[in-house]
Amino acid sequence: MSKKISYQGEAGSNSNMACTEQFPDMEAIPCASFEDAFAMVESGEADLAMIPIENSIAGRVADIHVLLPESGLQIVGEHYLRIRFDLLGLPGSSIEEATEVHSHIHALGQCRKIIRENKLTPVIAGDTAGSAREVQEWNDPTKLSLAPPLAAELYGLEVLASSVEDDDTNTTRFVVLARKQELPVRSKLPESVITTLVFHARNVPSALYKALGGFATNGVNLTRMESYMLDSSFAATIFMVDIEGHPEDLPVRLALEELDFFTWEIKILGTYAASEHRQKVSASFV
């Protein structure tokens, strides 16, 4: 029986491609929402979930910063997917006769050049691959889709133009989630490790400055930090951070002890091997 990995979106989406790239031997299961993808892992119907967390152009993925800490799941890996979009139409159709292009709002925003050059009207769809399915169902040569390359094959569409994204560095970072478990011990992981955590800063002057000071004085590198409001009070802020290192590493342990003094909750979401993509990019900026 093959193992399963859940993702949000339709077959042929970028999340689907991330699953097949990272786990080619697993069965990728599409889900209507992030919550549904989480639930499949929680219930045991799926072994893992592949969830986008941030994009190099669009920034963080909406709602993930709220959903992830409350999911009850644990980050066990990460994957970076180079985002590519093809312009798809019905077999025999052409860009010249098209009037509309359908896709997710982010895809439309990341492919403005070809839309403008061909005087196409952008129409927002709920999903990139879903727009390809709809173009196939509508059977209208005036409607095109901007979708990942996998969608053309799945929905029997013709690639009218390939790799039409405006920025050829467009990349999405995904995290791999599993059911809650003990953090892997340091000896079971490679040298390059990422720990993701969230903390609630105390609502006092300089609390964040002092909380982060422990990372600086102990030489722990923060690779990412996001902030968001806890509730409608606008008085409590949660921070999600990625740091280099394992909680067993002495510098990280000391930094977390200092962090604990200036916060009222710390939750580690996962400790996992840094991806090869991250290591290559990090090395280029040293």
Side-chain angles (χ1 to χ4, degrees):
M1 183 175 178
S2 65
K3 291 189 174 183
K4 298 179 179 180
I5 181 168
S6 60
Y7 65 91
Q8 185 277 326
E10 297 198 31
S13 65
N14 283 309
S15 292
N16 187 179
M17 293 185 66
C19 290
T20 56
E21 272 192 10
Q22 183 76 345
F23 302 101
D25 296 329
M26 296 184 74
E27 180 184 357
I29 308 297
C31 297
S33 67
F34 290 126
E35 292 92 334
D36 290 342
F38 295 154
M40 286 199 70
V41 178
E42 289 178 292
S43 67
E45 294 179 76
D47 302 277
L48 301 172
M50 180 72 75
I51 302 297
I53 193 168
E54 57 186 328
N55 176 265
S56 60
I57 295 174
R60 76 181 180 198
V61 176
D63 299 333
I64 287 300
H65 60 292
V66 175
L67 296 173
L68 189 55
E70 303 303 322
S71 68
L73 303 180
Q74 184 171 316
I75 302 175
V76 296
E78 63 178 355
H79 180 69
Y80 288 80
L81 179 71
R82 166 74 169 82
I83 301 301
R84 293 179 172 84
F85 292 114
D86 290 349
L87 191 61
L88 310 179
L90 294 172
S93 64
S94 66
I95 299 177
E96 290 71 25
E97 66 180 321
T99 58
E100 295 179 357
V101 59
H102 297 248
S103 196
H104 188 275
I105 187 171
H106 286 168
L108 295 171
Q110 293 166 17
C111 302
R112 290 190 179 96
K113 185 176 179 181
I114 193 168
I115 294 174
R116 184 172 59 252
E117 286 178 349
N118 292 281
K119 297 181 174 58
L120 298 171
T121 300
V123 181
I124 297 173
D127 183 82
T128 54
S131 72
R133 173 183 52 78
E134 289 173 336
V135 165
Q136 188 272 332
E137 292 172 350
W138 290 328
N139 196 33
D140 182 346
T142 67
K143 300 181 188 298
L144 305 180
S145 164
L146 279 168
L150 181 59
E153 178 183 346
L154 288 175
Y155 300 109
L157 297 179
E158 185 174 329
V159 178
L160 304 181
S162 60
S163 297
V164 298
E165 61 278 359
D166 297 335
D167 189 334
D168 61 8
T169 66
N170 189 358
T171 303
T172 294
R173 178 186 174 223
F174 291 79
V175 290
V176 181
L177 305 178
R179 287 180 289 281
K180 201 74 173 178
Q181 55 195 278
E182 292 293 326
L183 290 178
V185 297
R186 190 63 177 93
S187 60
K188 298 292 185 181
L189 291 172
E191 180 180 354
S192 185
V193 169
I194 300 298
T195 295
T196 298
L197 57 95
V198 294
F199 64 86
H200 298 208
R202 296 185 185 278
N203 191 22
V204 296
S206 302
L208 179 60
Y209 172 81
K210 293 174 181 177
L212 297 180
F215 295 108
T217 56
N218 288 286
V220 177
N221 189 31
L222 274 71
T223 63
R224 173 177 176 265
M225 183 172 74
E226 295 276 359
S227 65
Y228 56 97
M229 293 299 171
L230 177 60
D231 51 39
S232 58
S233 69
F234 293 92
T237 304
I238 298 178
F239 295 88
M240 180 184 293
V241 300
D242 291 339
I243 62 174
E244 293 181 347
H246 191 287
E248 293 178 15
D249 298 339
L250 181 59
V252 175
R253 179 165 58 80
L254 294 175
L256 292 178
E257 288 176 1
E258 192 163 341
L259 178 67
D260 185 56
F261 186 78
F262 295 105
T263 59
W264 55 272
E265 183 181 27
I266 300 173
K267 184 185 293 185
I268 293 180
L269 302 183
T271 297
Y272 47 94
S275 75
E276 291 185 5
H277 175 89
R278 177 194 289 272
Q279 295 179 58
K280 290 178 182 177
V281 171
S282 297
S284 67
F285 284 96
V286 173

